[in-house]
Amino acid sequence: MLLHVTSLPGPGSSGDLGDEAYRFVDFLAAAGCSVWQLLPLAPTHPAERSPYDALSAMAGNTDLISSEHRVAHGLDDPATLTAQQQAAFSSWCAAQADWLEPYVEYAALRERHDLAPWPSWPPALRNRDPRAVADALAPLADRVQLLRFEQWVFAVQWDRLRDYAASRGVLMFGDLPIFVSLDSADVWASRDLFHLDEESRPITVSGCPPDYFAADGQRWDNPHYDWAAMAEDGFGWWRRRITRQRELFDLVRIDHFRGLDAAWHVPADAPTAREGEWVPGPGADLLSVLVDAAGPGTLVAEDLGVITEEVDELRLQFGLPGMKVLQFAFDGDRGNLHLPSRHEEQSVVYTGTHDNDTTLGWWDQLDETDREQVRSSLVDPEEPMPWALIRLAMQSRARLSVVPAQDILGLGNEARMNTPGTAGDNWAWQARAGAFDDGLARRVREVVTATGRLS
């Protein structure tokens, strides 16, 4: 089941790693679901809230910390830690120092500059001059230590939740955005690994050409990597990144996998993504590093969009499952690879993703001709949506079937998580209290059992 932590029920406007997260694990176990897929857990830019536009590719989103669990486990104040806790904190900081120290420096300096992006900081700080950074941080030592502590508290709460999920037979499935935000600790600390000009501005930015989601393409505005510079140490930054993700998750989806073969480069001053071009990426050189660091059978390729033979060959060369999305299947093309009859075992099937409308919202917008195309693939054309598509996903020969929680709850367009290429209410949907009840768990389990997916 696909559900981000922020979408869990909660007393506030966002879910957290508290009691509701544990209740959801219990719901999954009762429903016969063995995988919980989430969106990235990284700290977001407050204005956008997008987990794909993060302040760090390595850090945790401390907004997800449960204040109740924090107090209950004695993690409310670094000054009151027990000796055992203090030792664990110090050990964790040492083990994570390669990303933690740049992040806490960046976060503290960003606060000092009223959250202004780092390219606008004074040149010495922008360029991370060691003396200038040390002088600027000297009066902020307590804040820097608190930022370290907050990251440790997040790690403790996440590890505890993941251990609980494992005890209930539930794997955690995470998501790795292929690009990182310009205004992030990653780019600030490693400018030489990105294509930036002398003023730290991107020369080209990321995006994708016109597609199903956007007529002018999508302009994501991430800086592009300098692959030659990254290759000099054997893609060490990427090895550390995927290792960090595997510390958090049992399975990891590589978002925009297509970008490893070639990425859409949009001139920084172009008005839309239409003006971009495909530029070759590192391909097998990088993917071999990722597979080696992550371990076999742990990575999934998000291979949606404009997919070439070269992209397919790259995925198959390393044995990564691709994605099938049922909402993309029924366009009248019998060769459509998303059609259930075209699914391969080495794939992951979805009713829809976090970027799609909910299944009920999608169905409501189809005309009768399109609906008949869908019904022709159903075992029971009379079964109502969204359960008809949920059952179809679970009947697929794909090894893993993933259903967004909004579909399980039978929700419409009002519960859509994200509409690509738009701003506004994205990433804000939250399930109501009590939504994941025993009756719903029994209904899901019946379908899981009937389709032979009960482990």
Side-chain angles (χ1 to χ4, degrees):
M1 201 169 297
L2 170 60
L3 181 78
H4 195 38
V5 175
T6 59
S7 294
L8 287 165
S13 59
S14 174
D16 61 28
L17 299 176
D19 289 347
E20 290 291 350
Y22 289 80
R23 291 191 188 102
F24 187 67
V25 170
D26 291 339
F27 169 82
L28 293 175
C33 299
S34 57
V35 176
W36 179 0
Q37 183 169 354
L38 306 101
L39 305 185
L41 297 176
T44 64
H45 289 79
E48 291 81 14
R49 299 179 298 186
S50 170
Y52 296 89
D53 183 23
L55 297 168
S56 167
M58 313 285 194
N61 185 351
T62 56
D63 290 341
L64 303 180
I65 291 174
S66 164
S67 57
E68 290 81 4
H69 281 212
R70 183 172 183 165
V71 172
H73 293 100
L75 301 177
D76 198 39
D77 185 345
T80 61
L81 294 179
T82 66
Q84 183 178 17
Q85 288 173 324
Q86 184 61 58
F89 172 42
S90 298
S91 176
W92 184 84
C93 288
Q96 305 294 335
D98 67 318
W99 67 263
L100 180 62
E101 291 310 299
Y103 173 70
V104 297
E105 291 174 2
Y106 159 82
L109 291 173
R110 192 170 181 270
E111 291 176 356
R112 181 189 175 196
H113 290 89
D114 298 321
L115 305 185
W118 69 263
S120 67
W121 297 353
L125 294 179
R126 183 186 70 200
N127 297 335
R128 208 184 175 206
D129 176 79
R131 175 63 65 85
V133 170
D135 289 346
L137 291 176
L140 304 176
D142 289 344
R143 178 57 182 159
V144 170
Q145 182 67 350
L146 184 58
L147 287 166
R148 291 190 191 97
F149 179 70
E150 294 282 331
Q151 285 297 313
W152 178 66
V153 172
F154 171 88
V156 169
Q157 290 199 356
W158 175 256
D159 288 347
R160 186 176 289 121
L161 176 62
R162 185 179 173 190
D163 288 346
Y164 182 76
S167 75
R168 300 303 314 272
V170 175
L171 301 176
M172 295 299 204
F173 185 4
D175 206 7
L176 184 151
I178 190 171
F179 298 114
V180 296
S181 173
L182 172 65
D183 186 18
S184 67
D186 312 283
V187 184
W188 176 67
S190 303
R191 291 175 54 200
D192 57 315
L193 300 181
F194 298 84
H195 277 300
L196 307 176
D197 65 18
E198 293 181 355
E199 300 298 321
S200 300
R201 296 171 300 202
I203 298 169
T204 61
V205 296
S206 65
C208 68
D211 63 5
Y212 170 89
F213 289 112
D216 284 330
Q218 298 176 48
R219 182 180 165 125
W220 302 327
D221 285 338
N222 311 89
H224 277 288
Y225 300 109
D226 185 334
W227 291 121
M230 286 190 150
E232 288 180 2
D233 70 346
F235 299 100
W237 183 88
W238 277 95
R239 181 178 288 277
R240 293 190 295 275
R241 188 183 184 195
I242 196 65
T243 298
R244 173 68 179 146
Q245 294 306 303
R246 286 285 287 114
E247 290 174 354
L248 298 171
F249 303 109
D250 302 290
L251 305 170
V252 179
R253 187 187 83 142
I254 301 175
D255 189 46
H256 196 60
F257 176 82
R258 194 248 185 276
L260 297 185
D261 177 71
W264 192 249
H265 284 234
V266 182
D269 58 356
T272 73
R274 284 183 176 273
E275 290 76 20
E277 63 175 345
W278 292 110
V279 175
D285 291 342
L286 173 57
L287 193 53
S288 63
V289 170
L290 298 181
V291 172
D292 177 68
T298 62
L299 301 180
V300 172
E302 185 272 283
D303 56 346
L304 306 177
V306 182
I307 302 302
T308 64
E309 290 184 9
E310 291 79 9
V311 176
D312 281 334
E313 289 171 0
L314 180 64
R315 178 180 64 80
L316 293 171
Q317 178 183 347
F318 291 91
L320 271 63
M323 287 176 56
K324 309 298 180 185
V325 181
L326 292 179
Q327 287 188 25
F328 295 155
F330 307 103
D331 60 1
D333 178 5
R334 294 185 178 181
N336 189 319
L337 296 178
H338 296 280
L339 281 168
S341 60
R342 301 295 304 275
H343 292 183
E344 309 134 356
E345 182 183 353
Q346 186 76 342
S347 62
V348 181
V349 61
Y350 294 75
T351 52
T353 74
H354 66 271
D355 283 333
N356 289 89
D357 202 344
T358 67
T359 289
L360 201 56
W362 164 79
W363 180 255
D364 287 344
Q365 295 179 46
L366 295 182
D367 60 30
E368 193 55 33
T369 299
D370 290 335
R371 289 186 176 187
E372 282 303 314
Q373 296 242 18
V374 179
R375 292 189 185 106
S376 68
S377 291
L378 303 177
V379 173
D380 179 7
E382 301 303 316
E383 184 172 22
M385 290 292 172
W387 287 95
L389 208 69
I390 292 171
R391 188 179 302 275
L392 189 61
M394 293 194 189
Q395 289 171 330
S396 168
R397 66 171 60 94
R399 184 170 300 169
L400 177 62
S401 175
V402 179
V403 180
Q406 293 96 315
D407 288 354
I408 294 294
L409 295 171
L411 301 177
N413 178 265
E414 76 283 355
R416 183 168 185 164
M417 190 61 167
N418 180 49
T419 303
T422 70
D425 295 331
N426 293 328
W427 317 110
W429 177 74
Q430 187 178 19
R432 63 172 177 79
F436 302 106
D437 59 23
D438 293 343
L440 184 59
R442 286 193 295 270
R443 185 172 187 181
V444 175
R445 192 179 187 91
E446 288 172 1
V447 180
V448 173
T449 302
T451 55
R453 287 190 176 270
L454 190 65
S455 58

